[in-house]
Amino acid sequence: MDVNSINNNIQTLNPSSQPHLDKAQETNKSSEVTKSDALNLSISDIYNKKRDELSKTFQSLNEGLAINELSKRGLEKQSEIVKNIEDELYNSKASQNFEDNKNDLKTKLVEELNKFNEIADNTTYKNEKLLTIGDKEEETVLTVSTKDQVFTLNKPETKEISSSLAQNFKDNGFSSENEIDSALYETANANNKLNELIDNFNKTEEKIEKSARDTISEQIQLSKENSSLRDIDFGAETSDFSKTNVNSQLGFLVGSQANIVQDQAIRLVSK
């Protein structure tokens, strides 16, 4: 066969096959874009879901810190009142003028106990009393709940402390040093109870603050991971793979992102 004839046949075939090649390339590019968009959408959905979970967790922890701080401040004010009562008793004991001072002393002690109870009634969060059960049927446990953690603390009934003091003062004549000592013994017990409650709230506060710091760290890390994943040109990265390999890569990357989310949740629980 003539060589020139073969060359002419090849030239004749090339133009007719080119549109098919162009169409195939366009189809491949379109497929790459579609896969890239699908991957970005999957990552975005996972990121948004986890971000919302962390945001809700942080909001709950923030409310927990508010409840804890309000309760602790109320207890500290009540402790100051009990110390004022102690000061009045020590002053009376030092004066040794029991008969002349006892009525004024009782009046002052009753006034201090009224202030104590006012703090119990007025220390609230969203209309819920934090230092007393109150007249209504209220929860006896202060609870801070997140998706992964629950912090609980028994609600203190501080009015029981003031009731115990009031009963002692009522029965006490304040007419001798022994009677003053009896009242001082009761006030010391009251302060010990208040200090124990304050200590419990301090411990709870430390736990909530640690969880809040961990949540903030997770939010920052999640944002970094999302940013780095979005910087990848997935279409370019996968252009050298066959359709099967592209699908495999997509499944792996989406699976990896899901594992990242799972690992973050595990860290939040374990810390």
Side-chain angles (χ1 to χ4, degrees):
M1 180 180 291
D2 188 357
V3 173
N4 291 330
S5 176
I6 294 173
N7 288 335
N8 289 334
N9 288 335
I10 292 174
Q11 291 174 357
T12 303
L13 288 172
N14 282 341
S16 62
S17 61
Q18 187 62 39
H20 295 287
L21 292 174
D22 292 342
K23 185 175 182 180
Q25 290 176 353
E26 289 176 3
T27 300
N28 288 337
K29 289 181 180 179
S30 176
S31 176
E32 290 167 8
V33 172
T34 302
K35 298 299 182 183
S36 176
D37 291 342
L39 178 58
N40 284 327
L41 181 60
S42 297
I43 293 173
S44 178
D45 289 343
I46 294 171
Y47 168 76
N48 289 335
K49 181 180 179 181
K50 184 59 182 175
R51 182 196 60 191
D52 291 344
E53 288 177 357
L54 290 173
S55 180
K56 290 177 181 177
T57 294
F58 189 73
Q59 182 179 354
S60 296
L61 293 172
N62 198 40
E63 286 189 0
L65 286 173
I67 292 171
N68 201 83
E69 184 64 23
L70 288 171
S71 301
K72 193 171 66 172
R73 287 182 183 180
L75 290 168
E76 289 170 348
K77 290 178 182 178
Q78 288 178 322
S79 181
E80 290 176 4
I81 289 174
V82 174
K83 289 176 182 177
N84 291 339
I85 292 174
E86 282 184 332
D87 290 341
E88 293 291 344
L89 291 170
Y90 276 119
N91 289 338
S92 178
K93 183 177 179 179
S95 71
Q96 293 291 305
N97 193 6
F98 303 117
E99 288 297 329
D100 292 341
N101 292 336
K102 65 181 183 181
N103 290 332
D104 287 343
L105 177 61
K106 278 194 173 185
T107 300
K108 291 177 181 178
L109 298 185
V110 169
E111 289 175 353
E112 294 296 330
L113 288 179
N114 287 337
K115 293 178 184 178
F116 186 101
N117 288 334
E118 285 177 5
I119 293 172
D121 287 328
N122 295 331
T123 302
T124 61
Y125 183 78
K126 293 184 177 179
N127 297 322
E128 180 181 359
K129 295 180 180 181
L130 303 178
L131 301 181
T132 182
I133 305 302
D135 299 330
K136 300 178 181 179
E137 293 185 1
E138 295 181 350
E139 294 291 335
T140 59
V141 177
L142 298 173
T143 304
V144 180
S145 300
T146 69
K147 181 177 180 292
D148 303 302
Q149 292 175 297
V150 177
F151 301 93
T152 60
L153 193 63
N154 291 331
K155 183 185 294 186
E157 180 49 277
T158 58
K159 282 190 175 182
E160 290 182 355
I161 297 174
S162 64
S163 295
S164 179
L165 290 173
Q167 187 61 47
N168 178 276
F169 298 162
K170 179 181 178 182
D171 298 338
N172 198 318
F174 299 105
S175 299
S176 67
E177 188 168 325
N178 287 338
E179 289 179 321
I180 296 294
D181 285 339
S182 173
L184 285 169
Y185 178 80
E186 289 297 325
T187 56
N189 284 339
N191 247 334
N192 288 337
K193 291 177 182 177
L194 291 170
N195 287 333
E196 184 178 349
L197 291 171
I198 292 171
D199 186 55
N200 289 339
F201 276 103
N202 280 331
K203 290 177 181 178
T204 303
E205 182 179 46
E206 290 176 1
K207 294 177 182 178
I208 296 176
E209 283 183 346
K210 182 181 183 305
S211 185
R213 285 194 296 269
D214 291 344
T215 301
I216 292 172
S217 296
E218 283 195 80
Q219 288 176 320
I220 294 172
Q221 184 63 27
L222 182 67
S223 179
K224 288 180 179 178
E225 290 166 353
N226 181 66
S227 176
S228 63
L229 284 169
R230 288 181 182 280
D231 288 340
I232 299 174
D233 185 349
F234 292 106
E237 294 292 331
T238 60
S239 61
D240 294 332
F241 293 93
S242 65
K243 180 178 180 181
T244 301
N245 286 331
V246 169
N247 288 334
S248 175
Q249 283 293 106
L250 287 171
F252 171 78
L253 288 169
V254 173
S256 297
Q257 182 70 0
N259 289 334
I260 290 171
V261 172
Q262 184 178 17
D263 289 342
Q264 289 173 329
I266 292 172
R267 284 203 305 274
L268 187 62
V269 173
S270 61
K271 288 187 177 181

